[in-house]
Amino acid sequence: MDSLKNIFAIPELRNRVLFTFGLLAVYRVGGHVPTPGVNTEALRLLAEQAASSNLFGLYDMFSGGNLSQMTVFALGVMPYISASIILQLLTVVWPYLERLSKEGELGRRKITQYTRYGTIVLSIVQAMGIAFFLESQTGVAGGLPIVNDPGWFFRFTTVLTLTTGSVLVMWLGEQITERGIGNGMSLLIFTSIIS
């Protein structure tokens, strides 16, 4: 109980906790903004059919239900985690990245920058895959079209929306790590799972 009292007694700690809760609230609000051009009723029917798939259910859980509702945060933290893992594996294989990892703070910042670029590339690829998948599901959800106006405009809007949402999630996680209580991505994953 004394630890909880100290949170609000120490101004810097209180500000960090409130900042973290504020960004987690922004993350949850973003989980209710739908992607443009998607018929949410047909998507709900499709998600009920796909809920039996273990992989879809797992990915949807990590995105906090954003994937099955096709919100702007549908990709969640998964592109960032994937890019981070890929760069950690490349550090062992690629001498340039190995040298960077041993340079200290400057090298760590450079690797973090590469992780951000990798996140954007993975987000674009995954968003394009989702757009094509949604367009191909024409008669699955009780005959309702999932995409109102299929075509390149829908694909572009979906890629732009989902990639921007993924970059915003990455930024929220980094801000929680730097200015909040730390472990930003882990807190976002935890928030998604409990929601």
Side-chain angles (χ1 to χ4, degrees):
M1 201 56 138
D2 290 334
S3 298
L4 292 176
K5 289 180 186 177
N6 287 340
I7 290 175
F8 295 102
I10 302 170
E12 182 183 352
L13 186 57
R14 179 184 62 233
N15 290 341
R16 286 179 171 272
V17 168
L18 292 175
F19 181 78
T20 300
F21 282 141
L23 289 186
L24 290 176
V26 168
Y27 178 65
R28 288 310 306 149
V29 167
H32 295 288
V33 178
T35 301
V38 176
N39 183 344
T40 55
E41 180 61 27
L43 188 63
R44 184 187 62 76
L45 292 171
L46 178 66
E48 287 175 2
Q49 292 174 1
S52 61
S53 167
N54 291 337
L55 184 61
F56 178 79
L58 180 68
Y59 192 82
D60 193 41
M61 179 183 66
F62 277 113
S63 71
N66 293 329
L67 182 62
S68 63
Q69 298 172 9
M70 205 53 197
T71 66
V72 294
F73 290 163
L75 295 178
V77 298
M78 297 305 276
Y80 179 82
I81 292 172
S82 299
S84 179
I85 291 170
I86 289 169
L87 269 158
Q88 285 178 359
L89 292 174
L90 284 176
T91 300
V92 177
V93 178
W94 196 4
Y96 170 71
L97 289 176
E98 187 176 4
R99 279 194 314 271
L100 274 181
S101 69
K102 293 178 181 177
E103 286 184 10
E105 183 65 27
L106 181 63
R108 188 184 64 79
R109 284 186 181 175
K110 197 70 166 169
I111 289 175
T112 301
Q113 193 67 29
Y114 291 150
T115 304
R116 290 176 183 146
Y117 294 143
T119 300
I120 293 170
V121 169
L122 288 174
S123 296
I124 290 170
V125 170
Q126 289 178 354
M128 185 61 83
I130 287 173
F132 281 121
F133 173 77
L134 289 176
E135 284 183 336
S136 71
Q137 302 300 311
T138 53
V140 175
L144 294 172
I146 293 178
V147 177
N148 295 331
D149 294 317
W152 282 106
F153 182 73
F154 168 76
R155 293 176 199 142
F156 174 76
T157 331
T158 302
V159 168
L160 183 65
T161 303
L162 295 182
T163 302
T164 305
S166 183
V167 169
L168 182 58
V169 167
M170 177 180 62
W171 181 80
L172 289 172
E174 289 178 356
Q175 292 302 308
I176 291 172
T177 300
E178 292 175 15
R179 298 175 50 201
I181 61 174
N183 294 327
M185 289 299 171
S186 298
L187 284 172
L188 292 177
I189 292 170
F190 174 73
T191 303
S192 297
I193 290 172
I194 64 170
S195 68

